[in-house]
Amino acid sequence: MAKELPKKTRVAIVGGGVIGCSIAYHLTKIGWDDVILLERKQLTSGTTWHAAGLIGQLRDSQNMTKLAKYTAELYLGLEEETGQAIGYKINGSLSTATHAGRMEDLARRADMAKVFGLAVDVLGPDGCKDHYPPLNVDDVIGGIFIPSDGQADPVGITQALAKGARMGGAQIFEQTKVEEVLIDDGKAVGVRTDKGDVAADIVVLACGMWTREFASRIGVNVPLHACEHFYILTEPHKAITPDLPVYRDYDSFAYYKEDAGKMLLGAFEPVAKPWGMEGIPDDFEFGQLPDDFDHFMPILEGAMHRLPFFEEAGIQTFFCGPESFTHDDRYHMGPAPEVDGLFVAAGLNSIGIQSAGGIGKALAEWMRDGLPPSDLNSVDIRRNMPFQGNRRYLHDRVKETLGLLYDVHWPFYQFKTARGVRRTPLHDRHAANGACFGETAGWERANWFAPEGVEPTYEFSYTRQNWFEYSAAEHMAVRENVGLIDMSSFAKIRVQGPDAENVLNNISANDVAIEPDRIVYTQWLNEHGGIESDLTVTRLADDDFMIVTSAGSQVRDLHWLKSRTPSDARCVATDVTSGLAVLAVMGPKARDVLQSLTPTDLSNDAFPFATSREIELGYGIVRASRITYVGELGWELYVPTEFAAHIYDEITAAGAEHGMASIGMHAVNSLRIEKAYRHWGHDISDEESPIESGLGFAVAWDKAGGFIGRDSLLRQRDAGVNKRMVQFLLKDPAALLYHNEPIYRDGEIAGYVTSGMYGHALGGAIGLGYVHSEDGVNAEFVNAGKYEIEVVGEKIAADASLKPLYDPLSARIRA
C-alpha cells in the first residue's frame, strides 16, 4: 500500500537527485527527522543517473575544498553505514599540462592544497606516465597527482543517502509531482503536489535543471541552464586496468574513468550546446539526447593522441544527456532573498557527486543555525543579479562556462559571452579613450586603459600580462598626481523613515547616529560577530541615509538589511543603484581639479574627510563625498545618471591642465591592496570578525542600544583571537601574487594570501592574508615571525605588517 503524504512537515525537499537526498540525509544527522523528499519521477532520474561519478577534492578556495574533502570522507563510510553498495574506490586522480600556463595553474593549485591539508604531488612527464602507463607523454610537460581522489557509482551513492535518510526518520515519496510552492505573506509555507498539499516550515528546491523555471513561478531567481554533456564508453581493452586513476587531460577538454575494464571518455568542450531553452518536457525521465558525433569528434581525436589504444578500442556506447550549468561556474545554495523559508541547492556544473555531501551538510546546518557554517559566499544564491535569470543571457553564457571548467584559470580572466548587459552612462567615452573592459555583476567596467596605438585586449598569462605597465602608470598617477575613476557600479541603497537611524544603528557595528552630511565606514555583523557586509553609510537628513557597497553585494546586502529590519519599523529601503553614476577624483591634485569647477570651499578645514555635501559642479548639482578606496585625497561624486556625461566632460576638461589620468579597476585594486584596504568576499567574510581583520577601529563598542554581534565580539576581544589580517610585501620584486598562496611563519604554514596585486609605489607584490595560531595571535606574535610566501613551489621572503605599509597614518587622505 502506498504511503500517504503527511499534512505537515518541518522540511519539504523538492527533487530526488543526489543533492536532495544528501540534504535529507544530513537533516536527519542534526536531529531533524520530520523531513520529506518529493520526487516527480524516480530518484536519480534527472541528471544524477548519468553522472560520471568522479570524486575530486581540490577546488578553487579553502571552503570549497573542505566541502569536497568532507564528501570524499563521507562516502568512505556510507556503504558500511547503510548497507547500500556505492562502488567507491580511491584510485587517485591525475591531471596533465602541455604548456607553461597550464603547468603554472596546476602548480599553484598544488601550493594551495598544502594550506588545505590535501596531499598533491607535482610531477614531470615520466611521473605522469608512471601513474598512467597507457599515456602518451610526448607533449606533456608535467602534471599533478592527488592520491586520495577516486570514483564511485552515482546511483549507488544517491540510493545510499536516501536509505540513510530513511534510517534517520525522513520519508521519501517518488512519483509525486510538486506543482507549486505555497506562499503566505512572503514566506514559503508548504508545497502543493498532485497528491495533495503539505504544510512545511522550510521548503528546499533541489530540482536540478528544472529549478530555474520552477523557482521563477514564485519570483525566485536561480540562474542556470541545461547543456548537452557527452561521453563515450569503449569496449574492453587490455590497456585498461582497474588501478588506473581518474585522468583529466584539461588541454584536450577531456576526462577519463576506468569502468569495469572499459574506458569512459567525457568532454568539457570549449563551445557547448545549451539545451531545453523552451522548457524541459514533463515526462523527461532517464532521458537521453540525440547523438552529435561531429561535435564530439575533436575530443575523440585528442583521445587517440593521448591514449593511443583508442585507435583500436571499439565504442560500445555514445551518450548525450543534459546537465545544468550556471553563468559563473559556481553552484547556487542558501536562502532565497525573495521568499522567506525557501532554500535552494542547484546548478552543480558537473560536480554534483563530488559536492553532494558537503552541500547537504552545510545546508542542513544553515537551516538549523540561520547562518552558514563557513564562508560560502562564492556559491551563495544571493550573489546573483535579477537579470542573470534571463533565458537568452543564460543560453549564451553557458556555451562558454561549460568549457571554462577545463580551461586554464587565468588571473583576471574575463567572460567573452553575454557581455554588455550593464553599462555606465560613460561607457562610450571610456571605449573611445582606450578602455579594456571587464565584467562584474554584469557591469562593464574599464579595467585598464590602452595608450594610443595599443589594442585594448587581454593577453592572459601568469606572468606580467600585457596591461601591467599601463596599469602601473595609472596607479602612480593616483599616488603622485590625480586620476578619474568611474565607480558607478557601486551598489547604492536609500534607507528612509523615522526609524531609519535606529534600524541602521542596530545592524551597523559603527555608530551612524551622526550629523547630516557625514559619512561612517562600518561593517554589518552576524550574531557570531562575523562580517556580513563592509560599506559606508552617509546621512543625508535626519530620516534619510545612503548605503554604498560593492557591486557584487547589491542583492545580498539589501536582503540582509530587510531581513534585519523589524516588521513594525517605520523604515523603507530602496535600491537606487541605477539612478546614480559615481565619479571618483583621486590623488594629491584632486582638490585642485575640483575646486576649479565649484564655488564650494573644498579646503581641508571647510570640507574635512568623511564629509558629504551637495555642491554645484559645472551646470549640475552633485553629492560630493570625501572618502577614498585608494588611499589618497579625493572625492566620490554621486551624480544623477542623466547628468553624468556632462559632469564627466567638465572634470576631464579641468583635469587636462593637471595631467589627470583615466584609471581602471585593476589600478583601483592594486591601490587598495597597497593601502591594506580590505575587500569583502576576499579578505573579509562572515567567518572573520572586525577584531581578526584589523577593523576594530570601526566598531562603536559602547553606543546606546548596542548592535547585532556585539556580545560575541566582546567575548572575542576578552579572550583574544587565533588569526589576524596581515599585509605582506615580497622582497623579490619580480614575483607576482594573486590569491591562495601559502604563508609561512618561521618555516610553518600559517595561512594563505586572500588577495594580491603589485604595489607599484612600494616596489613589489603585495598580499593580504591571515596569520593563524591555535595559541593565539597578537601584535607581538605577528611581529616576531619570519615570513615567506610560496609562489609556484618557491618560498619568497616577505615583510609583514599589521599597519598599512603605504601611508600608515593616513596623512595623505586627510591632507
Side-chain angles (χ1 to χ4, degrees):
M1 183 175 177
K3 292 184 297 183
E4 185 175 342
L5 275 177
K7 299 297 184 184
K8 176 76 171 68
T9 187
R10 188 172 195 172
V11 182
I13 301 166
V14 184
V18 68
I19 302 301
C21 290
S22 178
I23 295 167
Y25 170 90
H26 284 91
L27 284 170
T28 66
K29 293 298 182 183
I30 64 170
W32 290 17
D33 56 3
D34 187 8
V35 174
I36 65 170
L37 184 149
L38 305 164
E39 164 54 45
R40 57 190 284 278
K41 296 294 185 180
Q42 298 180 58
L43 297 185
T44 79
S45 63
T47 293
T48 299
W49 72 276
H50 63 74
L54 312 184
I55 312 299
Q57 300 165 83
L58 185 56
R59 311 304 303 159
D60 290 336
S61 69
Q62 181 182 30
N63 285 329
M64 292 297 101
T65 299
K66 283 181 178 178
L67 292 187
K69 282 184 65 180
Y70 167 79
T71 300
E73 292 158 4
L74 170 70
Y75 293 167
L76 279 175
L78 192 60
E79 187 168 320
E80 181 178 353
E81 177 190 350
T82 64
Q84 167 68 47
I86 66 171
Y88 188 27
K89 66 175 181 178
I90 300 175
N91 50 339
S93 72
L94 174 70
S95 302
T96 57
T98 61
H99 60 87
R102 172 73 69 186
M103 192 63 221
E104 180 154 351
D105 185 8
L106 295 178
R108 283 179 174 268
R109 286 168 173 264
D111 289 346
M112 179 180 70
K114 297 173 186 175
V115 178
F116 308 154
L118 180 65
V120 179
D121 302 324
V122 179
L123 309 170
D126 292 342
C128 294
K129 192 168 181 65
D130 288 342
H131 283 292
Y132 213 96
L135 211 60
N136 171 18
V137 295
D138 288 352
D139 56 343
V140 170
I141 64 173
I144 59 172
F145 182 73
I146 304 177
S148 57
D149 280 353
Q151 61 189 68
D153 169 27
V155 173
I157 287 173
T158 307
Q159 295 292 353
L161 290 168
K163 186 174 181 180
R166 292 188 187 99
M167 291 165 60
Q171 297 184 75
I172 295 177
F173 296 87
E174 297 179 276
Q175 304 298 333
T176 304
K177 182 180 180 181
V178 177
E179 296 173 335
E180 65 177 297
V181 176
L182 302 176
I183 309 293
D184 182 28
D185 194 25
K187 183 183 186 306
V189 295
V191 293
R192 174 157 293 151
T193 81
D194 57 0
K195 296 177 181 175
D197 292 358
V198 181
D201 298 327
I202 297 173
V203 176
V204 183
L205 301 185
C207 324
M209 57 189 170
W210 285 270
T211 308
R212 190 203 67 80
E213 177 63 30
F214 187 69
S216 69
R217 299 177 198 168
I218 54 171
V220 172
N221 183 35
V222 187
L224 57 81
H225 198 298
C227 285
E228 299 182 24
H229 187 56
F230 299 85
Y231 64 74
I232 63 170
L233 188 67
T234 70
E235 300 283 357
H237 190 278
K238 62 182 179 181
I240 306 171
T241 57
D243 58 339
L244 286 176
V246 171
Y247 171 49
R248 295 176 180 87
D249 185 3
Y250 288 119
D251 293 332
S252 295
F253 323 112
Y255 63 87
Y256 301 81
K257 182 190 80 165
E258 184 275 334
D259 189 344
K262 307 167 189 177
M263 185 63 72
L264 185 149
L265 163 64
F268 288 97
E269 65 277 21
V271 181
K273 295 182 65 178
W275 178 81
M277 188 176 182
E278 305 305 321
I280 302 170
D282 284 344
D283 61 352
F284 194 85
E285 178 184 17
F286 297 109
Q288 184 168 346
L289 304 181
D291 296 346
D292 187 344
F293 206 81
D294 290 341
H295 186 78
F296 191 79
M297 193 59 196
I299 306 300
L300 185 57
E301 290 172 349
M304 293 176 182
H305 168 73
R306 186 63 59 217
L307 296 175
F309 69 77
F310 264 86
E311 293 183 2
E312 54 188 61
I315 296 176
Q316 182 184 86
T317 303
F318 186 98
F319 181 83
C320 177
E323 295 189 33
S324 61
F325 295 84
T326 66
H327 60 92
D328 57 6
D329 272 336
R330 293 179 277 152
Y331 52 79
H332 303 306
M333 67 180 295
E338 303 91 345
V339 175
D340 291 341
L342 183 76
F343 282 75
V344 173
L348 271 295
N349 302 287
S350 278
I351 59 168
I353 305 303
Q354 68 187 50
S355 303
I359 289 174
K361 181 176 186 293
L363 207 63
E365 293 173 0
W366 201 335
M367 286 184 245
R368 178 192 64 194
D369 302 334
L371 295 169
S374 60
D375 174 14
L376 299 175
N377 296 301
S378 66
V379 293
D380 191 326
I381 191 170
R382 294 171 294 175
R383 75 185 184 275
N384 297 304
M385 298 295 120
F387 82 88
Q388 288 169 326
N390 176 284
R391 289 177 177 85
R392 183 180 165 199
Y393 168 85
L394 287 166
H395 174 274
D396 293 350
R397 174 56 65 84
V398 296
K399 290 180 183 178
E400 178 182 10
T401 56
L402 180 148
L404 288 178
L405 291 168
Y406 272 29
D407 202 353
V408 177
H409 293 74
W410 296 116
F412 312 105
Y413 178 82
Q414 304 298 324
F415 290 110
K416 299 180 178 68
T417 55
R419 291 289 299 271
V421 183
R422 304 174 81 186
R423 304 182 185 188
T424 82
L426 307 168
H427 180 88
D428 291 346
R429 281 167 167 75
H430 299 324
N433 197 27
C436 185
F437 293 98
E439 183 225 328
T440 296
W443 283 103
E444 293 293 324
R445 307 195 302 182
N447 277 349
W448 55 278
F449 288 86
E452 189 173 349
V454 174
E455 187 70 22
T457 57
Y458 279 94
E459 296 174 12
F460 297 116
S461 75
Y462 275 96
T463 58
R464 296 186 179 189
Q465 294 187 11
N466 61 312
W467 49 266
F468 182 88
E469 296 300 334
Y470 310 136
S471 188
E474 295 170 21
H475 181 114
M476 294 311 298
V478 174
R479 290 281 181 252
E480 298 173 347
N481 190 36
V482 61
L484 177 60
I485 314 164
D486 185 352
M487 305 186 85
S488 300
S489 60
F490 277 158
K492 309 114 189 161
I493 302 169
R494 201 78 173 259
V495 184
Q496 298 167 297
D499 294 331
E501 179 187 299
N502 291 336
V503 168
L504 286 174
N505 238 1
N506 181 55
I507 295 173
S508 304
N510 213 338
D511 192 351
V512 305
I514 51 175
E515 294 297 315
D517 292 339
R518 295 292 294 170
I519 307 167
V520 170
Y521 170 58
T522 188
Q523 287 76 46
W524 290 349
L525 310 181
N526 58 39
E527 288 75 9
H528 301 314
I531 299 172
E532 293 287 343
S533 186
D534 181 68
L535 45 79
T536 61
V537 178
T538 303
R539 188 166 203 161
L540 309 179
D542 288 344
D543 60 352
D544 195 352
F545 296 80
M546 183 171 69
I547 293 164
V548 178
T549 186
S550 67
S553 297
Q554 183 174 344
V555 171
R556 192 183 192 280
D557 286 355
L558 184 61
H559 174 254
W560 184 266
L561 172 62
K562 288 184 174 181
S563 66
R564 265 65 184 176
T565 299
S567 58
D568 60 350
R570 297 169 298 168
C571 178
V572 176
T574 307
D575 188 332
V576 296
T577 300
S578 298
L580 293 170
V582 183
L583 290 170
V585 182
M586 295 287 157
K589 294 184 179 179
R591 181 179 286 116
D592 297 337
V593 172
L594 291 176
Q595 190 65 82
S596 69
L597 295 170
T598 181
T600 302
D601 185 354
L602 300 182
S603 67
N604 201 41
D605 290 338
F607 209 125
F609 184 73
T611 298
S612 177
R613 294 186 188 136
E614 284 194 340
I615 67 171
E616 294 180 14
L617 196 152
Y619 294 144
I621 296 175
V622 306
R623 174 162 290 276
S625 295
R626 191 171 166 196
I627 198 77
T628 181
Y629 194 49
V630 296
E632 297 292 343
L633 169 69
W635 281 262
E636 293 173 0
L637 307 175
Y638 291 79
V639 187
T641 52
E642 69 269 31
F643 292 94
H646 164 68
I647 298 300
Y648 174 87
D649 291 344
E650 291 285 314
I651 295 171
T652 53
E657 298 181 19
H658 300 277
M660 184 177 69
S662 294
I663 310 299
M665 299 309 294
H666 287 335
V668 171
N669 199 32
S670 60
L671 288 159
R672 71 95 183 166
I673 295 174
E674 191 171 61
K675 188 63 175 72
Y677 287 159
R678 281 59 164 159
H679 182 273
W680 193 88
H682 286 92
D683 311 307
I684 49 178
S685 72
D686 49 7
E687 279 193 26
E688 289 83 34
S689 74
I691 299 172
E692 294 165 329
S693 56
L695 297 174
F697 67 88
V699 176
W701 296 95
D702 300 321
K703 69 176 176 178
F707 54 89
I708 295 173
R710 179 178 182 271
D711 292 345
S712 294
L713 219 54
L714 286 171
R715 288 192 295 269
Q716 190 180 80
R717 187 177 69 175
D718 293 341
V721 297
N722 294 324
K723 63 180 180 180
R724 285 288 302 273
M725 170 63 74
V726 179
Q727 186 183 34
F728 298 92
L729 170 63
L730 294 188
K731 294 184 178 181
D732 178 358
L736 298 178
L737 294 175
Y738 297 113
H739 65 279
N740 285 334
E741 294 89 352
I743 298 168
Y744 289 80
R745 181 185 182 274
D746 296 340
E748 301 291 330
I749 290 179
Y752 62 95
V753 172
T754 54
S755 61
M757 284 289 271
Y758 204 85
H760 300 286
L762 293 176
I766 306 290
L768 300 176
Y770 290 89
V771 171
H772 297 246
S773 174
E774 291 302 316
D775 297 327
V777 177
N778 56 24
E780 182 180 356
F781 178 88
V782 171
N783 294 331
K786 178 183 177 183
Y787 294 92
E788 299 167 300
I789 296 179
E790 189 168 11
V791 181
V792 198
E794 179 185 358
K795 295 187 181 73
I796 300 174
D799 293 325
S801 178
L802 287 166
K803 295 181 178 180
L805 291 167
Y806 180 82
D807 189 22
L809 300 179
S810 295
R812 297 175 68 88
I813 68 174
R814 301 178 186 276

